[in-house]
Amino acid sequence: MNNMKIKSIFLPIIICISCKKEAEIDKSKTLPFYNSEEFTPEWISPSDLKYKEIHTIAPFEFTNQNGEKITNKNFEGKIYIADFFFTTCPSICTILAKNMGAIQELYKEDNDIMLLSHSVMPWVDSVEKIKEYATEKKAIHNKWHLVTGDREEIYNIARTSYFADEDFKKTKDESEFIHTENFVLIDKKGRIRGVYNGTLSLEVQCLKRHIEILRREN
């Protein structure tokens, strides 16, 4: 049997195996994973060897508006939306907070959905300041955590865990102030499942639809 005949026999088998693997994931019923700052969507089956290597949010510890220590443990087994703000921001942050508030209102009775807003100006945003801000935005206790903490830790997790700083992708300058309009959707295992412009109503609507997909998936 020559090489041409061997190829003709095994090629359909390879194609069928490939099709079977692809068919394991229904992309209309599950969200992709995001494993790098390029935000390339990847649908990865639990049976795939890469599944155990999916990017997760690094451990963290910050202080919320009520002076409580907030860590990954608070979000274990929860779906949450993360963003970055500062209390003296006059424009974009106001829109982000309004849209986070709308998400909070929609899921205020659902204990599986949480919100996490990190101050990118922690040297100004003391616990007292973010408490005032949280009160103004009607943040619900244990539903929407607004946190402050060490600048280096916040900036590091923003850039290396949430891939949230657009400018840093280009400059790699750690001293630069963080600028991001992103809402980042995190699943119950701490993995990124979606990224949205939190200032745009269409993107926020998309986020809400994806939360529902993620809830069914879990």
Side-chain angles (χ1 to χ4, degrees):
M1 186 181 295
N2 60 35
N3 288 339
M4 187 64 72
K5 288 183 178 179
I6 292 173
K7 288 181 180 178
S8 66
I9 292 171
F10 284 101
L11 187 59
I13 296 174
I14 293 171
I15 291 172
C16 286
I17 292 173
S18 175
C19 291
K20 185 178 179 181
K21 185 175 181 181
E22 183 72 21
E24 289 178 3
I25 301 176
D26 184 343
K27 293 182 181 180
S28 68
K29 295 181 179 179
T30 188
L31 299 178
F33 298 96
Y34 294 87
N35 293 309
S36 72
E37 61 187 22
E38 283 75 28
F39 286 122
T40 302
E42 297 181 66
W43 279 266
I44 303 173
S45 167
S47 62
D48 194 309
L49 293 176
K50 293 197 304 180
Y51 191 80
K52 293 182 179 180
E53 301 174 1
I54 293 170
H55 172 80
T56 58
I57 304 302
F60 60 82
E61 181 179 300
F62 301 118
T63 304
N64 76 358
Q65 67 266 34
N66 297 309
E68 301 165 333
K69 293 297 181 185
I70 299 300
T71 74
N72 298 65
K73 298 290 184 181
N74 295 90
F75 298 90
E76 282 186 353
K78 308 290 186 181
I79 296 168
Y80 73 96
I81 300 93
D83 77 338
F84 296 84
F85 79 107
F86 57 104
T87 60
T88 55
C89 173
S91 55
I92 291 174
C93 296
T94 302
I95 302 171
L96 295 177
K98 178 182 177 182
N99 287 332
M100 283 290 257
I103 295 168
Q104 175 184 247
E105 180 64 22
L106 182 61
Y107 294 104
K108 65 182 180 181
E109 303 298 333
D110 189 334
N111 293 330
D112 284 338
I113 310 295
M114 297 176 67
L115 311 176
L116 177 60
S117 296
H118 311 71
S119 170
V120 296
M121 199 179 282
W123 58 92
V124 171
D125 289 338
S126 63
V127 171
E128 291 74 18
K129 287 212 65 165
I130 60 172
K131 176 65 173 179
E132 291 175 8
Y133 190 84
T135 300
E136 177 188 329
K137 305 304 179 186
K138 297 181 172 57
I140 298 172
H141 179 66
N142 284 334
K143 166 66 73 175
W144 183 2
H145 294 283
L146 294 89
V147 298
T148 187
D150 180 78
R151 177 194 185 279
E152 184 176 345
E153 290 179 9
I154 291 175
Y155 277 47
N156 182 61
I157 201 167
R159 289 164 172 163
T160 64
S161 277
Y162 294 102
F163 309 128
D165 189 3
E166 293 292 330
D167 291 338
F168 185 69
K169 295 175 188 178
K170 303 170 187 174
T171 66
K172 300 299 179 184
D173 184 352
E174 294 183 0
S175 67
E176 284 291 321
F177 186 75
I178 285 182
H179 295 278
T180 178
E181 300 166 358
N182 287 345
F183 282 172
V184 187
L185 178 61
I186 309 298
D187 71 13
K188 293 185 176 184
K189 295 183 178 180
R191 304 170 299 192
I192 299 175
R193 307 303 297 276
V195 183
Y196 317 84
N197 186 323
T199 68
L200 301 178
S201 59
L202 284 177
E203 295 254 328
V204 174
Q205 291 304 315
C206 180
L207 166 60
K208 292 175 182 177
R209 290 196 301 273
H210 287 180
I211 289 173
E212 292 306 311
I213 291 174
L214 194 54
R215 290 201 324 160
R216 290 194 293 272
E217 177 184 319
N218 283 285

